[in-house]
Amino acid sequence: MSSEARPFPCVFGVAGYRQDQLRYLFLDPFEVDILGEQLALFVSECRSHGPNTSLVLFTRPRPVQTMDAYYRKFWLTLDQLARIDKSPWPAEIPDMVDHPMWEFSFAGEPIFVVCSTPAHVMRQSRRSSAFMMTFQPRWVFDKILGTEKAAGAAFGEVRKRLVPFDTTSPSPLLGRYGHPEGREYKQYFLYDDNQAPPACPFHKLAQTKTSTIDDTEQAA
């Protein structure tokens, strides 16, 4: 995050790191109830942390699983968070996942979520030593990308950094929030080689009663 020779592609995350605006959560064991408590606390305080804040979740390194296993764990985590959320879903955010204006929301706050895993190899910008999630409030982007000029400059810088950082081309799924052809959920978890990810396992979050993270996924 602090490298000048090989700058991390997410300029927003780098700015937050350098300005001490990021907040970190270390969970071992991985318990969604605790994650929910800490995410709600972060949401209640996030505007006081600065304009580039995020909550970064770290878990203990475990034996590396498949990309599909991490994908399933990621979406089950979001679904379980939605189940324990004590606040109503924001009225302005559609609850159908496959909608250009959908965004994961918790404690009344729309949040862009990024998943990084040790299964990522070519996409180094999404690689981590263990299962990792970053929760970035939607308002962070609204402030940074408030004009077309600002948005174009920011996304242009991100893509310029991605090319030398990853050994695969930038994902075609990356795009602007709200674009009719774009989907936020597809950007949350990017596969390693630009293959199409599996369909999202949920049409809406917290709608089925059978989704649980089993012991194998807990240990990831």
Side-chain angles (χ1 to χ4, degrees):
M1 296 291 283
S2 59
S3 173
E4 295 288 347
R6 189 171 178 257
F8 189 71
C10 181
V11 294
F12 319 118
V14 170
Y17 172 76
R18 290 178 172 173
Q19 297 161 10
D20 195 28
Q21 296 175 5
L22 304 184
R23 295 298 179 265
Y24 308 98
L25 174 62
F26 300 85
L27 280 186
D28 181 37
F30 181 74
E31 296 182 7
V32 177
D33 286 345
I34 296 178
L35 172 58
E37 292 173 1
Q38 294 302 311
L39 182 57
L41 177 62
F42 170 76
V43 166
S44 71
E45 300 175 344
C46 62
R47 283 174 170 77
S48 68
H49 298 327
N52 291 295
T53 191
S54 294
L55 176 65
V56 185
L57 163 68
F58 294 95
T59 64
R60 179 182 290 276
R62 304 285 187 182
V64 178
Q65 297 188 335
T66 65
M67 193 78 72
D68 287 343
Y70 289 122
Y71 184 80
R72 171 178 164 79
K73 177 173 181 174
F74 171 74
W75 278 107
L76 288 179
T77 298
L78 292 190
D79 185 63
Q80 288 192 348
L81 283 173
R83 294 174 189 280
I84 63 175
D85 190 2
K86 298 179 181 178
S87 299
W89 191 262
E92 71 276 15
I93 302 296
D95 58 3
M96 297 297 294
V97 175
D98 191 18
H99 189 288
M101 297 303 294
W102 182 86
E103 189 82 276
F104 175 72
S105 300
F106 193 83
E109 190 75 65
I111 302 170
F112 184 80
V113 190
V114 170
C115 186
S116 303
T117 81
H120 286 86
V121 177
M122 294 186 292
R123 197 174 302 284
Q124 289 285 302
S125 56
R126 294 291 178 103
R127 181 173 175 79
S128 56
S129 60
F131 181 78
M132 175 178 163
M133 297 173 70
T134 301
F135 298 86
Q136 191 162 30
R138 178 80 247 162
W139 59 261
V140 170
F141 294 99
D142 293 340
K143 287 188 175 183
I144 297 172
L145 310 177
T147 66
E148 286 296 324
K149 182 177 180 180
F155 281 118
E157 180 63 21
V158 169
R159 288 183 177 274
K160 184 176 75 173
R161 293 186 179 194
L162 279 172
V163 172
F165 200 89
D166 293 343
T167 56
T168 186
S169 58
S171 173
L173 300 176
L174 296 174
R176 293 283 300 276
Y177 174 64
H179 189 281
E181 302 301 319
R183 296 293 186 271
E184 288 289 280
Y185 79 90
K186 293 183 178 181
Q187 302 181 56
Y188 289 1
F189 192 114
L190 298 177
Y191 268 57
D192 216 23
D193 56 0
N194 287 335
Q195 64 177 302
C200 178
F202 303 103
H203 296 295
K204 296 181 180 180
L205 297 181
Q207 292 298 304
T208 62
K209 297 183 179 180
T210 58
S211 60
T212 59
I213 301 175
D214 63 29
D215 291 341
T216 300
E217 289 162 333
Q218 287 272 15

